Amino acid sequence: MQSDSVSGVVHIFAPFGRDAPSIAGVLNAAGLRTAIHESLPRLAAALDDDVGAVVVTEEAVAKGTAALLEPLAKQPSWSDIPVILLRSPHSQKRPLADPGLQLSINIIELDRPLGSSSLLSSVRSALRARDKQFLVRDQMRALADGRAALERSEAELRLVADAMPVLIAFIDRDLCYRFANKAYEAWFERPVSAVIGKRVPEVVGQEVWRTRRPLIERALAGEHIVFEANWPFSDGRRRDSEIRYSPRWDADGAPDGFHVFVTDITASKLALETSQQHASDLEAMVAERTAELERQMAAREASEAALRQSQKMDAIGQLTGGIAHDFNNMLTGILSSLDIMRMRLDMGRMEGMERFLDAATASSQRAAALTQRLLAFSRRQSLDSKTVELNALVGSVQHLLRSTLGEKIRIQMATSDAPLRANLDSNQFESALLNLAINARDAMPEGGELILRTSHVFAAEGEVPTIPAGEYAVVSVSDSGTGMPPEVVERIFEPFFTTKPIGKGTGLGMSMIYGFMQQSGGHITVDSTPGQGTTVALFMPVVHDAAEDDGAPSAQPVSLGAGQSILVVEDDEQVRMLVTVVLEDLGYTAEVVGDADGAIPILGSSKKIDLLITDVGLPGLNGRQLAEIARQSRPSLPVLFMTGYAEKAQERSAFLDNGMAMIAKPFLLDAFSEAVRSSMAGHR
């Protein structure tokens, strides 16, 4: 790779992990010179005139940047060292620990994750800007060294100025002309000698002086002034002029006068006015053409919207068709088992009933698991990390993938021989696998093969780019699709970056997976070749302690009641009946209503109520609103919410108040009885 034609060393301060060597590796490969510093004071001590740029990570300067202020404050006037700040992936754009630094330096903020090309582009841009500063430095030195030569060439400069068809003059703070070129003879019809040494009012006249005076005072205060004026010929002909006042500065940095540049712009003004005469006709033509284009664009957008809607409906139909297929299989197991049991009860045959009860229960639990998985994919949850066995977890997601990807995609499994454990949030991990599978499906429009592979990997230092050395459990998703070129792979984790057409993707899927892996202490790699497919690998630290694995939940004893009074609010008639029967069989006294309107009079009465059990998604007032009303008259009343899916109940910590609990439908008898008992445990 060819190096840039830039000078200066890139100084790096990124002391955590392998950030500094990784950054230096990218820059060195491009032919740039780098220097890595172990502390902020050492970086500050290295900031001399030959510094090209500084790269620091947000974490490195989180505790303060005071050590940089002194060397930055001592920079010469031509110097403004560019500092590139690499923001953390989870940064909320918080200010630096030292707000004074942000006002003192030329800072460039970049958000991570950041591809090597983006980092290299930003550093090159900073170095080019720094090279311009070096050029100014060299020019200032040359100017100081060449002042004598400049004095020798003053006569030549006057010849050049006199040849220019522009009024050129210098006026000092006393408003006296100290220089004027030959053009003044043509404009003022007097020799230059009659201008130099005269004050402005004497040269331009009192009437012009009154209009120019405020502008001249601003120029003498150090402001660059540009304006237009009509300065007619002596015979009355029109002459439009552009006038510029440019302050000149003395050695102390104060304006000691200003240069005057006056240009005749009459020809361009006349041309502009001529073109404006035809503007109305042109505007009418443009308006007509614009209206036609707007009609065409509206028709095109309507067509594209219809196409996007059709594509979305096709995808929804494919997904719901697959889910319906699985649910029908599960419902067949439930309904058939119940029909057989009903038939045998009518016949008086009781033998073998447990087999059909087990079949119905197993099908019901499969349906419940599928529903919960679908709900988990539709939510954004905080991580609930546990030790899981990856072979089983990847295997369990196959049913959902087959429903989502369709029959044209062949799904293959290749799992490790030994158990493979990692610490992660299983719901979020399944969501990541689903996202990767959908991306793979889109890359195989004509069908293909998707391979889910689990493996145990020992990564040596530098063996896998961007992956630190260590022992990992790896889950990879490979497809035989179209693949991606390197420039797309480099940007794949950028938020909102997508190669899919409008309406086909938000560009958030891969960045969300990247964030999840970072939050879980893992890593992600992408290997793709155009025309040969893509492999995305998720690396997670291996967990060896098998005792941390979640085993099957042990059966809990059913908790019985002692006649406590429970108010049940449930809009579904069958659920209402079943909950009532369960409560009464457990030894409670249950009063049941179908909505909040039926519950409010009971809650407002003097009747003893030990527990309120309510569905969240009620018609009218929802369960949470009903609980608020109940707490107004019964502040200590415990509440148990039942929910199948309720959008407002996704974040339990924010949804539940003291004395409130929640149980998800469908639930088993022991879990329900324990939830009821726990809810009333502190109620007297």
Side-chain angles (χ1 to χ4, degrees), residues 102-163:
Q102 203 132 15
L103 301 175
S104 305
I105 64 176
N106 173 14
I107 194 163
I108 303 165
E109 297 186 21
L110 301 176
D111 290 331
R112 290 177 288 171
L114 183 69
S116 59
S117 63
S118 298
L119 172 64
L120 187 58
S121 175
S122 298
V123 172
R124 284 172 170 165
S125 178
L127 290 175
R128 286 194 292 270
R130 184 61 170 167
D131 274 355
K132 292 180 181 178
Q133 297 177 24
F134 290 158
L135 179 61
V136 171
R137 175 195 63 187
D138 296 339
Q139 289 175 340
M140 291 174 64
R141 292 173 180 173
L143 183 62
D145 295 339
R147 192 174 299 277
L150 182 62
E151 292 175 354
R152 290 194 300 270
S153 64
E154 182 178 352
E156 295 180 6
L157 291 176
R158 173 169 287 279
L159 289 175
V160 173
D162 287 343

Side-chain angles (χ1 to χ4, degrees), residues 309-639:
Q309 182 64 21
S310 174
Q311 292 171 336
K312 290 178 181 178
M313 293 307 296
D314 287 344
I316 292 172
Q318 185 177 11
L319 176 61
T320 55
I323 294 172
H325 175 268
D326 285 351
F327 265 113
N328 282 335
N329 287 338
M330 298 168 191
L331 290 173
T332 298
I334 297 170
L335 295 175
S336 297
S337 297
L338 293 175
D339 283 344
I340 292 173
M341 287 189 290
R342 184 185 299 276
M343 180 179 66
R344 291 200 174 189
L345 285 172
D346 291 342
M347 297 170 61
R349 294 176 56 190
M350 303 300 293
E351 72 279 3
M353 296 288 273
E354 294 83 358
R355 181 159 57 100
F356 303 110
L357 282 171
D358 291 343
T361 301
S363 294
S364 300
Q365 290 175 339
R366 285 177 57 206
L370 179 57
T371 302
Q372 291 302 316
R373 185 173 290 117
L374 290 172
L375 291 179
F377 290 142
S378 68
R379 302 181 214 171
R380 296 174 63 186
Q381 303 176 9
S382 58
L383 294 184
D384 182 17
S385 298
K386 298 178 182 177
T387 300
V388 298
E389 207 288 307
L390 290 175
N391 292 326
L393 181 60
V394 173
S396 68
V397 82
Q398 282 191 86
H399 291 293
L400 184 61
L401 293 184
R402 295 188 191 281
S403 301
T404 303
L405 303 185
E407 297 179 355
K408 293 194 299 183
I409 307 297
R410 299 184 305 278
I411 300 178
Q412 302 292 333
M413 284 282 297
T415 58
S416 64
D417 296 332
L420 197 60
R421 300 179 181 87
N423 194 48
L424 48 81
D425 185 316
S426 58
N427 284 338
Q428 293 286 355
F429 189 76
E430 289 175 352
S431 179
L433 289 182
L434 179 62
N435 266 307
L436 294 176
I438 291 174
N439 286 344
R441 178 201 65 191
D442 293 342
M444 299 183 289
E446 304 301 324
E449 185 175 56
L450 180 77
I451 301 176
L452 300 175
R453 181 178 288 105
T454 63
S455 57
H456 189 186
V457 173
F458 292 89
E461 187 70 31
E463 180 181 355
V464 182
T466 73
I467 304 297
E471 185 180 3
Y472 295 97
V474 180
V475 176
S476 62
V477 179
S478 303
D479 66 65
S480 58
T482 56
M484 297 176 288
E487 61 270 18
V488 173
V489 173
E490 283 205 357
R491 300 187 60 192
I492 197 169
F493 298 123
E494 294 181 12
F496 304 109
F497 174 74
T498 178
T499 59
K500 298 178 182 178
I502 296 174
K504 283 289 187 180
T506 64
L508 290 173
M510 293 302 293
S511 62
M512 290 173 65
I513 296 173
Y514 178 89
F516 163 65
M517 293 303 297
Q518 290 284 306
Q519 194 174 356
S520 301
H523 306 276
I524 182 171
T525 64
V526 179
D527 182 16
S528 186
T529 302
Q532 298 183 24
T534 300
T535 296
V536 180
L538 307 179
F539 288 71
M540 292 145 291
V542 167
V543 173
H544 291 288
D545 187 1
E548 295 184 13
D549 288 352
D550 289 337
S554 58
Q556 299 293 327
V558 175
S559 301
L560 300 179
Q564 294 94 329
S565 177
I566 299 177
L567 175 60
V568 179
V569 187
E570 169 60 59
D571 61 319
D572 187 281
E573 182 178 356
Q574 292 183 340
V575 176
R576 193 163 60 237
M577 180 270 293
L578 292 171
V579 169
T580 303
V581 171
V582 169
L583 290 174
E584 290 176 347
D585 287 350
L586 290 174
Y588 298 104
T589 300
E591 184 168 356
V592 185
V593 294
D595 54 28
D597 292 340
I600 290 174
I602 301 174
L603 292 168
S605 70
S606 59
K607 184 173 182 178
K608 184 177 186 298
I609 301 176
D610 296 298
L611 174 65
L612 170 63
I613 300 178
T614 177
D615 189 15
V616 175
L618 294 173
L621 294 175
N622 62 42
R624 188 62 175 86
Q625 293 168 326
L626 176 61
E628 291 289 339
I629 295 173
R631 287 287 179 89
Q632 293 176 9
S633 57
R634 301 171 184 260
S636 60
L637 177 65
V639 180

Side-chain angles (χ1 to χ4, degrees), residues 228 238 240-241 265-276:
E228 294 182 3
R238 166 182 174 178
D240 294 298
S241 307
I265 59 172
T266 307
S268 61
K269 281 286 188 179
L270 290 174
L272 177 61
E273 291 172 1
T274 300
S275 65
Q276 288 175 342

Side-chain angles (χ1 to χ4, degrees), residues 69-100:
L69 289 176
E70 182 176 355
L72 290 173
K74 292 181 179 179
Q75 292 184 84
S77 59
W78 58 265
S79 177
D80 190 12
I81 299 174
V83 178
I84 299 174
L85 175 65
L86 302 182
R87 285 283 191 181
S88 169
H90 307 293
S91 171
Q92 298 298 317
K93 290 294 183 183
R94 55 182 178 272
L96 295 175
D98 186 351

Side-chain angles (χ1 to χ4, degrees), residues 641-656:
F641 293 105
M642 301 181 296
T643 179
Y645 172 75
E647 182 180 357
K648 294 183 179 179
Q650 290 177 13
E651 296 293 338
R652 293 195 177 197
S653 60
F655 184 82
L656 299 178

